[in-house]
Amino acid sequence: MRLDKFLADMQLGTRSQVKEFIKKGLITVNGDIVTKADYKINELEDSITCKGVSLSYQKYRYFILHKPSGVVTATKDNRDRTVMDLLPKELSKDFFPVGRLDKDTEGFLLITNDGDLSHKLLSPKKHVAKTYYVECNGILNEEKIQKLKQGVDIGDDKPTLPAEIRVIHTSESTYVIELTITEGRFHQVKRMIQAVGGEVTYLKRLSMGGLSLDETLAKGAYRELSMDEVERLKRN
């Protein structure tokens, strides 16, 4: 791998920025200062430092994004701003969002370059749990709660799988719940609520695969997952 690509992949800056670091003699490879951006390294074996700080290459990386409303979950879009536009340009080439949140839906979104993990998290056979905070118009009663728990007909070949529900608030015309599902059908939460006579007015994903949204992240902000979080995600 070229040295400048390695440094850019490590999020030390853009290609032009890391080339300046190299030119200024701030990068060492196996103890020797390297001043050529196209210097070839073995990213898995060579010892590389930037300003004296050791760098360890990771083939796969994982980020949690607090998706805001108004951006689409895609790598590119000709009309709207995408979730990838919220991340550094260095991540625009090989990284992608895992799954899809509607344009008006907020919350937990995983960004990675690990295609195998993405496939497993999205596989219908894996039944990965996803929890949503849902504000609705309509009336919620015990009969409707039981229908959602058991699975409802949303117009597909099969009813939805059983869901878990925690009722947070109810009134004469509105209600708020937390809904945990183990599928990822198109507009599933909205269609489930519609199937019991309600209408979703606000939707936010709280968790996926055992990882919860980091509430310290502002909308549109992101952070890299810790190794413990990555292992937890893989186990789930």
Side-chain angles (χ1 to χ4, degrees):
M1 180 184 289
R2 284 175 55 122
L3 180 58
D4 58 347
K5 182 182 187 307
F6 169 82
L7 297 174
D9 286 352
M10 294 297 295
Q11 278 195 285
L12 294 184
T14 63
R15 279 292 185 96
S16 59
Q17 289 172 329
V18 300
K19 283 179 180 178
E20 281 298 309
F21 293 160
I22 297 169
K23 185 177 180 181
K24 292 178 180 178
L26 302 176
I27 310 299
T28 68
V29 178
N30 298 323
D32 297 324
I33 294 175
V34 175
T35 57
K36 292 184 178 180
D38 61 354
Y39 184 87
K40 292 299 177 68
I41 63 164
N42 183 324
E43 67 274 13
L44 300 178
E45 296 182 6
D46 288 339
S47 174
I48 302 163
T49 70
C50 175
K51 302 177 184 179
V53 178
S54 180
L55 304 175
S56 178
Y57 182 73
Q58 294 174 270
K59 183 177 181 180
Y60 298 121
R61 302 180 71 187
Y62 312 85
F63 298 85
I64 178 175
L65 171 71
H66 188 164
K67 180 191 175 298
S69 177
V71 296
V72 296
T73 307
T75 53
K76 292 182 180 179
D77 191 273
N78 293 328
R79 294 185 306 171
D80 297 306
R81 195 180 185 201
T82 75
V83 292
M84 298 307 296
D85 292 328
L86 302 175
L87 279 75
K89 289 184 179 179
E90 306 91 79
L91 300 180
S92 62
K93 181 180 179 182
D94 300 319
F95 287 76
F96 50 86
V98 178
R100 183 178 182 276
L101 292 180
D102 294 339
K103 184 177 179 180
D104 61 350
T105 300
E106 301 178 356
F108 183 106
L109 187 64
L110 181 67
I111 307 289
T112 186
N113 60 343
D114 187 341
D116 183 60
L117 178 62
S118 174
H119 174 74
K120 290 176 180 177
L121 288 171
L122 299 176
S123 171
K125 297 179 180 179
K126 298 296 183 181
H127 303 306
V128 174
K130 296 169 281 288
T131 299
Y132 295 83
Y133 170 87
V134 197
E135 295 181 359
C136 310
N137 286 333
I139 299 172
L140 184 67
N141 55 34
E142 188 59 33
E143 180 185 358
K144 294 179 179 180
I145 291 173
Q146 290 306 315
K147 283 183 178 180
L148 291 169
K149 285 184 176 181
Q150 294 167 9
V152 292
D153 181 1
I154 59 173
D156 293 341
D157 293 338
K158 298 179 181 179
T160 61
L161 291 176
E164 295 180 11
I165 302 173
R166 185 172 76 88
V167 179
I168 298 174
H169 170 75
T170 62
S171 71
E172 291 184 356
S173 59
T174 64
Y175 57 93
V176 180
I177 62 173
E178 281 187 7
L179 184 68
T180 300
I181 60 175
T182 57
E183 301 174 282
R185 304 192 201 184
F186 182 68
H187 292 324
Q188 182 171 342
V189 173
K190 293 177 180 178
R191 292 163 70 196
M192 288 176 70
I193 299 302
Q194 188 176 31
V196 294
E199 177 192 17
V200 173
T201 58
Y202 176 75
L203 185 61
K204 179 179 182 179
R205 184 193 280 167
L206 301 178
S207 67
M208 178 180 184
L211 287 188
S212 298
L213 178 67
D214 187 340
E215 293 293 350
T216 64
L217 288 177
K219 293 177 184 179
Y222 69 95
R223 70 165 175 81
E224 192 158 8
L225 296 184
S226 68
M227 291 306 296
D228 286 343
E229 289 173 321
V230 173
E231 289 303 316
R232 196 187 322 157
L233 198 60
K234 290 180 177 180
R235 285 198 303 269
N236 286 306

